Amino acid sequence: MQTAADAGDAATLLAAVPAGRRVALVDPRFVGHVHALRLGLTDPRFAAATVPGALTAQPEARGALLRALRRTTAAVGAGAPVVAPDTDPAPEDRTVPGRIAVALEAEGTAVKRPELGSLTATVPTDAGARATAESARDGVDDEAVRLRSAVKAHDGFFTTFAISPYSRYIARWCARRGLTPNQVTTASLITALIAAGAAATGTRGGYVAAGILLLVSFVLDCTDGQLARYSLQYSTMGAWLDATFDRAKEYAYYAGLAIGAVRGGDDVWVLALGAMVLQACRHVVDFSFNEANHDAVANTSPTAALSDKLDSVGWTVWARRMIVLPIGERWAMIAVLTALTTPRIVFYALLVGCALAACYTTAGRLLRSLTRRASRTDRAAQALADLADSGPLAQGVAAVAPGLRGAFTAPAVALLGTLVMIGGALFLPYGSWLTVAAAAVYVVLSGLAVARPLKGALDWLVPPFFRAGEYVTILVLAARSDAPHAVPAAFGLVSAVAYHHYDTVYRIRGGTGAPPQWLVRTIGGHEGRTALVAVLAAVLTHTAGFTTALTALAVAVALVVLVESIRFWVSSSAPAVHDEGELA
């Protein structure tokens, strides 16, 4: 920290700071809470940020900051922080940091102005104003505010009332000992994997231990986000870990339960894979709907108005959040049922609960879409195309086929293709080449569905239909095969593909676009993988070779996807964000 004699000296001092470092400019008359300064000056997600009397700039905004500072110095003189006339638009813009923030925005540099709530941040101009500001500052405990703000604003009932009241203090304990959110995230993953291992023992003691450890893992899962918000430690690696580890933990636990059940003489691998497929399809419905509508023009509907009205009644908020079976409620149910019942009952409860939640949320989204008068943007259409995960076969069909017109044509064609594929896998003789013919129809219809930009009212349904078509086909063909361990191999394949789809979602959310096209082409796209599994089932009918082929395909997809994903998320091109997570 250095003290500048005047604004001109400040420009000289800032210019001398190494180019790769963040800099901050604070008015010496500043009065406010430490956490207000922390919010304004230490959040790594923004190139530039300001609170009244203080301004910060990351390396990428340093040049713009110096230019703005020099222009401000020329405008107000080189004297120490100058107060502008009362005709200025806002009091916070009358200081040198405030003027620079306005100048940065005028130049085109985005400046984040964090919400301070009850926190104080001001630059008093006389003794009376200073006394008032100091009284306001002393009247609010900024540590209590910091703890409250560490908790996610919109969370499920179980998380809000059973976890967050104490996990925030665990987050503070971790912060004071120098632990990072990534370390807590990793601890949560390790705990969940140990829980999966305990469940895999197939003993009552193992199930009890697994249930307890799963709850501990969830506490740590809440703590890592609260630690990130408490200490403002947002990072590219943290975004990747937080976005993917929840799924890895849940799916590993499903596998542990299935292994434990087999040891007890009950094969529930089909139920485990079914639960995973249903959960993944639920998520892609949420992702697709949100991407299709978050920047839509005229984004209103009577259904949305009714939803907002219900949210104004306290009990309905919690009831609706519980109905969708968010991660807190879901993990609590899994943990309790694991300890007290059997894996089969756990999966039955998951399938019923998730199915009801999926029906509720999807019905609401359908009503909103049908009653909303909105124009989809090109960005939304591109996001849906990326989420569709069309490979070279579907892209080839789309390139030569005329675009099908009609408001609901794309989802109708996608649904038809999905029904043909799943129906063929279910009802045609296992190993029949007719199933391969059904896969060919699926490829053609998949290409026709994406031949035109996905801007229709219900076009957000196209990616979920494709996910269901691929995942359920793999599940059905593996379940109908007599090949030993085919379903566990299918579980591994769907896990690898689902990771690719989640990775795509979080890249789009970060504003960096979908994975590169070479990756999608290499792993075949959803239609290519589906057709390949159908061919393998026909060629390797009722032999152990089918299991080997599924395993090899799972390993190949996982290696390609993971290597590219890790390269992306640890690179400088990845966004420094912290995802708030999905309720589900």
Side-chain angles (χ1 to χ4, degrees):
M1 180 183 297
Q2 299 188 57
T3 302
D6 51 41
D9 187 31
T12 302
L13 291 173
L14 289 175
V17 177
R21 297 180 61 182
R22 173 203 288 267
V23 295
L25 187 64
V26 181
D27 192 299
R29 299 166 299 172
F30 175 86
V31 173
H33 290 99
V34 174
H35 192 52
L37 277 180
R38 188 181 292 113
L39 289 171
L41 303 183
T42 65
D43 195 322
R45 296 174 295 177
F46 311 108
T50 186
V51 293
L55 173 75
T56 187
Q58 297 270 37
E60 59 267 31
R62 285 274 304 276
L65 170 64
L66 284 174
R67 291 192 297 272
L69 180 56
R70 292 188 178 110
R71 288 198 304 273
T72 300
T73 301
V76 303
V82 175
V83 179
D86 290 340
T87 55
D88 275 10
E92 61 267 22
D93 294 338
R94 298 173 187 167
T95 64
V96 168
R99 286 177 171 271
I100 295 172
V102 172
L104 283 172
E105 291 173 321
E107 187 177 309
T109 300
V111 180
K112 174 66 176 178
R113 301 174 186 269
E115 294 290 337
L116 299 181
S118 60
L119 296 175
T120 297
T122 187
V123 178
T125 58
D126 55 47
R130 172 171 288 275
T132 300
E134 290 175 346
S135 176
R137 179 196 62 194
D138 296 341
V140 174
D141 183 351
D142 71 337
E143 179 61 21
V145 173
R146 189 182 182 189
L147 275 172
R148 286 197 303 270
S149 61
V151 177
K152 193 162 59 177
H154 304 289
D155 224 328
F157 181 89
F158 178 77
T159 304
T160 299
F161 294 103
I163 304 297
S164 294
Y166 58 87
S167 61
R168 69 184 75 180
Y169 295 101
I170 300 176
R172 182 171 67 181
W173 183 89
C174 293
R176 291 178 174 177
R177 283 153 184 80
L179 297 177
T180 68
N182 293 351
Q183 291 171 331
V184 177
T185 302
T186 303
S188 175
L189 174 66
I190 293 172
T191 304
L193 294 179
I194 296 173
T201 63
T203 64
R204 177 52 52 196
Y207 290 149
V208 171
I212 294 172
L213 287 170
L214 188 64
L215 289 177
V216 172
S217 174
F218 183 65
V219 172
L220 294 174
D221 183 59
C222 295
T223 300
D224 65 357
Q226 292 166 356
L227 175 57
R229 288 182 285 271
Y230 180 86
S231 57
L232 299 177
Q233 296 184 72
Y234 305 114
S235 67
T236 57
M237 181 64 72
W240 175 59
L241 296 178
D242 191 63
T244 57
F245 276 16
D246 279 352
R247 304 287 78 78
K249 289 181 285 190
E250 192 164 6
Y251 297 162
Y253 192 81
Y254 290 177
L257 279 177
I259 293 171
V262 170
R263 288 186 170 179
D266 187 14
D267 190 343
V268 297
W269 271 108
V270 171
L271 296 178
L273 181 49
M276 183 171 72
V277 168
L278 180 55
Q279 188 61 30
C281 289
R282 278 187 64 200
H283 279 145
V284 78
V285 167
D286 295 338
F287 296 144
S288 295
F289 178 82
N290 291 335
E291 289 302 325
N293 293 287
H294 87 281
D295 60 352
V297 180
N299 195 15
T300 59
S301 75
T303 307
L306 175 61
S307 178
D308 293 339
K309 185 176 181 179
L310 289 174
D311 281 344
S312 66
V313 182
W315 69 269
T316 65
V317 175
W318 298 116
R320 293 168 71 205
R321 291 184 187 177
M322 293 174 69
I323 288 172
V324 300
L325 202 64
I327 188 170
E329 276 75 358
R330 191 167 68 252
W331 282 29
M333 180 184 74
I334 294 171
V336 171
L337 291 179
T338 298
L340 300 180
T341 64
T342 66
R344 180 171 291 272
I345 293 177
V346 173
F347 287 124
Y348 281 154
L350 269 174
L351 288 168
V352 172
C354 289
L356 293 175
C359 290
Y360 171 79
T361 55
T362 304
R365 284 164 169 73
L366 285 171
L367 287 173
R368 289 190 182 206
S369 299
L370 292 172
T371 58
R372 173 181 290 149
R373 298 180 180 274
S375 298
R376 299 300 190 284
T377 63
D378 291 337
R379 180 217 174 271
Q382 182 59 54
L384 291 180
D386 292 334
L387 290 173
D389 192 34
S390 299
L393 296 178
Q395 290 175 0
V397 172
V400 300
L404 297 175
R405 297 183 180 277
F408 309 122
T409 302
V413 172
L415 176 59
L416 178 60
T418 296
L419 292 177
V420 168
M421 186 67 256
I422 295 176
L426 271 173
F427 302 115
L428 291 173
Y430 181 80
S432 168
W433 283 93
L434 290 175
T435 306
V436 178
V441 174
Y442 177 71
V443 168
V444 173
L445 293 177
S446 297
L448 292 176
V450 297
R452 289 175 61 84
L454 298 175
K455 292 188 175 183
L458 297 180
D459 284 359
W460 57 270
L461 286 169
V462 171
F465 287 151
F466 288 163
R467 293 298 81 75
E470 179 180 6
Y471 296 168
V472 176
T473 297
I474 296 172
L475 166 61
V476 170
L477 291 178
R480 294 188 66 192
S481 170
D482 291 335
H485 310 302
V487 179
F491 189 98
L493 175 58
V494 173
S495 298
V497 174
Y499 176 87
H500 163 61
H501 290 144
Y502 281 108
D503 186 53
T504 301
V505 166
Y506 288 105
R507 292 198 199 200
I508 293 173
R509 283 185 167 184
T512 57
Q517 273 298 302
W518 70 260
L519 174 65
V520 177
R521 288 193 297 267
T522 300
I523 61 176
H526 72 93
E527 80 292 347
R529 292 186 298 269
T530 304
L532 177 58
V533 172
V535 170
L536 291 174
V539 173
L540 304 172
T541 306
H542 304 307
T543 69
F546 184 54
T547 299
T548 302
L550 288 180
T551 303
L553 182 57
V555 171
V557 171
L559 284 177
V560 174
V561 168
L562 283 172
V563 168
E564 162 56 23
S565 177
I566 293 171
R567 180 211 62 78
F568 170 79
W569 286 104
V570 301
S571 71
S572 59
S573 62
V577 299
H578 178 79
D579 183 73
E580 285 291 313
E582 294 295 312
L583 280 180

